[in-house]
């Protein structure tokens, strides 16, 4: 069978893995040439027919287990937020900091070190999951991550006064666990979710990250005004809830059928699929057969995809997009708002109680924004939400910069409002959409390498910003306070321009359609309007 125009081998098999549009008597991967165009067109139509709500209702069992697997991602949100928030707790600064001009301050070098260690180990954890996940499965990986996370939290909770090294290793080791959690969450959601449900479950991974951030701020508000060490020990200890919950339900979670088929455990793969899809009308035998056929095809193709291919031809275009959507997140100031909002509020002059309340309010808006982003992504499109989200976040940062030049409490409260508004805008667009576009943009031949590339770009860009943030806002360093808004506002202008010319509309497009659009070098702004005819899928 020859390959449809502009399409990588294996694209049609990927679409067939979750569809019932092929009669049971047909063997995946062995279709007649005369039917290829009709089959691809029909599959494309079938995949777009099921609504988001309809997919959740039909596949609610798989949806709930995907949500369980994503709970570990909440550790990522909690960890990064609590690490920045505890710096705002007076007793933490007193126990670990230095007295400078009458204020207890944590050295910017140590703050940067905490962030750097976490980022680097998160990247290592994500890469390690590629080996761990194939050896012991998704369930086994969650077990390993939970044990490592529990041990790392132990180091943080029992930190001794002025023992920065102990806290550093606690954060770094927990970062390794976070890397596993997030990678497994995305993999498990993609593998157990039918095609119509994948956008919901993979997007919900970001939702759980936000839940972790919100809980962190909520706990900090409740304990931050204590005078003893438990003001920060309690928020650190709460992290144990997440690995404990994962371990509690771990014996009951169905293993990924994809992992089981790779291990040639076909009977177990069928049993797992039955637990996930019983009562949905999905042909379980056909489902397992599709997985087997797809894996065999991917194994044959894998040798053709080399790292250097990421930077060749049309694949280079995809590689740039997959990395740049994460760079845009960082350059428009998310790490500043996410990790230092409470600390910034205090340094800007807010009382401790008001600073913590603003931190909680900021994350509550983030949850709302994330829900709205997931709900409207399919209706409004990826590209417009991402672009206008960049515009809004850039303007928000510039407003914070302008207000920083105005004296008085009114300007301080206005900066607080714009900081909270930023998180609503960000989580309603740029936050979840980057992960969506990143997942949809890759080609099957280079998917694993594109994912690895995205992880590296994401962590390195976050690391750069997190390292310089303390030097920008600490009173014993640049002490820019709200003037940081000028920096991220200026960078935001540059990367907003890139997003207009660089972010395509991937919503409503199947993998084979995206392959055609890239191979035909369709301009980015025409991805949503370009009409794909049968001749585009015609056999050469």
């Amino acid at each position: 069978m020859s390959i449809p125009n502009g399409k990588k081998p294996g694209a049609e098999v990927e679409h067939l893995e979750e569809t019932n549009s092929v009669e049971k008597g047909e063997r995946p991967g062995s279709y007649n040439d005369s039917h290829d165009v009709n089959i691809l067109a029909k599959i494309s139509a079938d995949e777009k027919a099921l609504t988001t709500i309809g997919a959740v209702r039909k596949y609610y069992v798989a949806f709930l287990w995907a949500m369980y697997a994503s709970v570990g991602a909440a550790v990522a949100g909690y960890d990064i937020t609590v690490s920045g928030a505890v710096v705002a707790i007076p007793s933490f600064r007193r126990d670990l900091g230095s007295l400078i001009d009458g204020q207890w301050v944590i050295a910017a070098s140590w703050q940067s070190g905490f962030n750097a260690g976490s980022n680097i180990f998160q990247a290592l954890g994500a890469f390690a999951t590629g080996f761990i996940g194939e050896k012991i499965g998704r369930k086994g990986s969650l077990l390993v991550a939970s044990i490592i996370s529990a041990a790392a939290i132990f180091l943080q909770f029992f930190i001794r006064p002025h023992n920065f090294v102990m806290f550093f290793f606690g954060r770094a080791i927990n970062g390794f666990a976070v890397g596993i959690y997030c990678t497994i969450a995305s993999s498990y959601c993609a593998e157990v979710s039918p095609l119509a449900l994948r956008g919901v479950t993979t997007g919900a991974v970001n939702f759980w990250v936000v839940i972790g951030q919100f809980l962190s701020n909520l706990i900090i508000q409740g304990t931050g005004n204590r005078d003893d060490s438990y003001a920060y020990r309690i928020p650190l200890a709460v992290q144990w809830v997440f690995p404990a919950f994962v371990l509690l339900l771990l014996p009951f979670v169905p293993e990924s059928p994809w992992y089981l088929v790779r291990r040639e455990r076909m009977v177990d793969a069928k049993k797992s699929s039955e637990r996930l899809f019983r009562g949905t009308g999905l042909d379980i035998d056909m489902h397992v057969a599709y997985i087997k056929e797809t894996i065999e095809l991917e194994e044959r193709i894998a040798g053709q995809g080399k790292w250097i291919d990421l930077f060749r031809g049309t694949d280079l275009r995809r590689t740039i997009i997959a990395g740049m959507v994460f760079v845009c997140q960082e350059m428009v100031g998310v790490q500043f708002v996410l990790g230092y909002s409470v600390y910034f509020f205090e340094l800007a002059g807010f009382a401790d109680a008001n600073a913590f309340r603003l931190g909680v309010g900021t994350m509550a808006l983030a949850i709302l924004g994330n829900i709205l982003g997931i709900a409207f992504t399919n209706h409004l499109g990826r590209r417009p939400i991402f672009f206008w989200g960049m515009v809004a976040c850039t303007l928000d940062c510039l407003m914070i910069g302008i207000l920083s030049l105005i004296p008085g409490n009114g300007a301080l409260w206005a900066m607080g409002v714009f900081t909270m508004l930023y998180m609503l805008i960000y989580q309603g667009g740029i936050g979840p959409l980057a992960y969506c576009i990143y997942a949809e943009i890759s080609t099957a031949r280079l998917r694993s390498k594109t994912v690895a590339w995205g992880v590296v770009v994401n962590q390195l860009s976050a690391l750069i910003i997190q390292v310089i943030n303390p030097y920008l806002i600490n009173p014993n360093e640049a002490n820019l306070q709200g003037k940081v808004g000028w920096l991220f506002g200026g960078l935001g202008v540059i990367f907003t321009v890139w997003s207009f010319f660089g972010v395509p509309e991937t919503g409503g497009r199947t993998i084979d359609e995206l392959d055609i659009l890239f191979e035909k070098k369709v301009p980015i702004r025409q991805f949503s309007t370009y009409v794909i005819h049968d001749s585009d899928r015609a056999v050469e």
Side-chain angles (χ1 to χ4, degrees):
M1 176 177 130
S2 55
I3 301 170
N5 182 35
K7 211 155 54 18
K8 303 287 190 302
E12 65 270 36
V13 177
E14 180 167 342
H15 289 298
L16 291 170
E17 70 180 84
E18 302 290 359
T19 183
N20 293 321
S21 62
V22 182
E23 296 182 1
K24 295 180 181 180
E26 293 181 279
R27 183 176 182 271
S30 61
Y31 312 111
N32 296 325
D33 288 346
S34 60
H35 294 104
D36 284 342
V37 172
N38 291 334
I39 288 173
L40 285 172
K42 188 176 188 303
I43 290 172
S44 176
D46 289 345
E47 289 177 351
K48 299 172 185 178
L50 193 60
T51 65
T52 300
I53 296 177
V56 173
R57 287 176 176 174
K58 183 175 182 179
Y59 301 109
Y60 71 93
V61 174
F63 173 78
L64 291 176
W65 281 120
M67 292 301 96
Y68 155 81
S70 300
V71 169
V75 180
Y78 194 99
D79 176 75
I80 189 173
T81 307
V82 79
S83 65
V86 294
V87 175
I89 297 176
S91 61
F92 184 85
R93 297 200 302 268
R94 182 189 65 228
D95 291 349
L96 276 81
S98 303
L99 189 62
I100 299 176
D101 296 331
Q103 282 186 300
W104 288 102
V105 177
I106 304 297
S109 58
W110 274 109
Q111 291 186 50
S112 298
F114 298 151
N115 294 329
S118 179
N119 282 115
I120 292 171
F121 274 75
Q122 279 188 47
L124 292 175
F127 280 115
T129 307
F131 302 97
I132 298 172
E134 290 305 312
K135 291 293 183 180
I136 59 178
R138 310 301 180 245
K139 292 176 64 174
S141 298
L142 288 175
L143 174 63
V144 170
S146 298
I147 293 173
I148 293 175
S149 182
I153 297 166
F154 181 91
L155 289 176
Q156 296 178 57
F157 179 79
F158 290 102
I159 183 175
R160 297 177 180 178
H162 304 290
N163 193 334
F164 292 108
V165 175
M166 189 173 180
F167 191 71
F168 171 83
F169 278 107
R171 282 218 64 208
I173 295 172
N174 203 35
F176 189 88
V178 165
I180 298 176
Y181 272 137
C182 291
T183 305
I184 288 298
S186 297
S187 299
Y188 189 83
C189 288
E191 291 177 344
V192 305
S193 302
L195 195 58
L197 196 60
R198 285 181 184 172
V200 178
T201 57
T202 54
V205 173
N206 186 67
F207 173 78
W208 281 102
V209 173
V210 175
I211 289 293
Q213 295 165 353
F214 173 74
L215 291 176
S216 174
N217 277 282
L218 195 64
I219 299 299
I220 288 288
Q221 183 189 14
T223 67
N225 290 323
R226 295 175 61 110
D227 294 327
D228 57 12
S229 66
Y230 285 97
Y232 58 87
R233 293 187 194 276
I234 291 175
L236 294 172
V238 169
Q239 294 179 91
W240 272 315
V241 171
F242 302 112
F245 179 80
V246 172
L247 291 172
L248 182 64
L249 295 182
L250 191 59
F252 308 102
V253 62
E255 178 59 270
S256 165
W258 286 77
Y259 165 74
L260 295 171
V261 171
R262 286 192 185 98
R263 307 298 291 182
E264 299 184 355
R265 296 165 55 183
M266 305 305 294
V267 174
D268 291 335
K270 182 176 180 180
K271 290 180 180 178
S272 180
S273 297
E274 288 174 344
R275 291 185 60 194
L276 290 164
F277 306 117
R278 183 183 289 114
T280 64
L282 186 70
D283 188 313
I284 301 301
D285 289 328
M286 183 66 74
H287 174 70
V288 175
Y290 284 153
I291 294 175
K292 184 175 184 296
E293 290 287 341
T294 303
I295 289 174
E296 289 177 350
L297 182 58
E298 288 179 346
E299 288 176 348
R300 292 196 296 271
I301 296 175
Q304 302 174 13
K306 301 177 181 179
W307 279 100
I308 191 63
D309 293 333
L310 286 174
F311 309 101
R312 290 175 172 171
T314 57
D315 289 320
L316 172 61
R317 194 180 182 194
R318 298 186 179 203
T319 301
I320 292 173
I321 295 170
M324 282 295 293
V325 289
F326 290 113
V327 174
C328 285
Q329 288 185 337
E330 304 303 332
M331 295 300 113
V332 81
V334 64
Q335 291 298 333
F336 168 68
V337 177
L338 187 64
Y340 285 89
S341 58
V342 174
Y343 191 36
F344 164 69
F345 290 143
E346 285 193 338
L347 293 178
F350 289 100
D352 289 348
N354 289 334
F356 290 131
R357 290 191 188 102
L358 285 171
V360 173
T362 299
M363 296 319 303
L365 288 175
I367 293 176
L368 175 61
N370 205 72
I371 293 173
L372 293 175
I374 293 175
F376 289 102
T377 294
N378 291 334
H379 298 286
L380 300 179
R382 276 67 157 162
R383 171 180 163 83
I385 293 179
F386 192 95
F387 171 73
W388 288 110
M390 286 292 297
V391 171
C393 287
T394 298
L395 292 175
D396 196 293
C397 286
L398 291 174
M399 283 303 302
I400 293 175
I402 292 172
L403 289 167
S404 69
L405 303 178
I406 302 175
N409 288 332
L412 288 176
W413 277 103
M415 281 191 283
V417 170
F418 275 102
T419 301
M420 298 172 71
L421 182 62
Y422 177 100
M423 191 53 71
L424 174 65
I425 297 169
Y426 175 86
Q427 291 296 347
I430 304 171
L433 264 294
Y435 289 94
C436 183
I437 295 169
Y438 154 81
E440 292 176 334
I441 209 71
S442 63
T443 182
R445 183 173 64 96
L446 293 169
R447 181 169 292 114
S448 62
K449 293 178 175 61
T450 305
V451 168
W453 166 259
V455 170
V456 171
V457 173
N458 189 15
Q459 293 303 319
L460 287 181
S461 55
L463 174 62
I464 292 171
I465 299 301
Q466 288 178 357
V467 166
I468 67 174
N469 263 340
Y471 292 97
L472 296 175
I473 67 174
N474 272 22
N476 61 322
E477 298 293 342
N479 195 27
L480 293 179
Q481 298 184 7
K483 298 181 182 65
V484 175
W486 290 109
L487 172 63
F488 290 115
L491 291 173
V493 170
I494 297 173
F495 287 91
T496 297
V497 172
W498 177 87
S499 69
F500 180 79
F501 293 100
V503 175
E505 178 55 64
T506 57
R509 294 294 192 183
T510 55
I511 298 298
D512 66 287
E513 289 176 337
L514 288 173
D515 285 339
I516 292 172
L517 293 172
F518 276 106
E519 289 296 332
K520 294 179 72 69
K521 299 182 179 179
V522 174
I524 291 294
R525 286 173 288 173
Q526 297 179 19
F527 264 50
S528 61
T529 58
Y530 185 88
V531 179
I532 296 179
H533 300 283
D534 288 346
S535 58
D536 293 315
R537 294 190 173 97
V539 179
E540 292 183 338

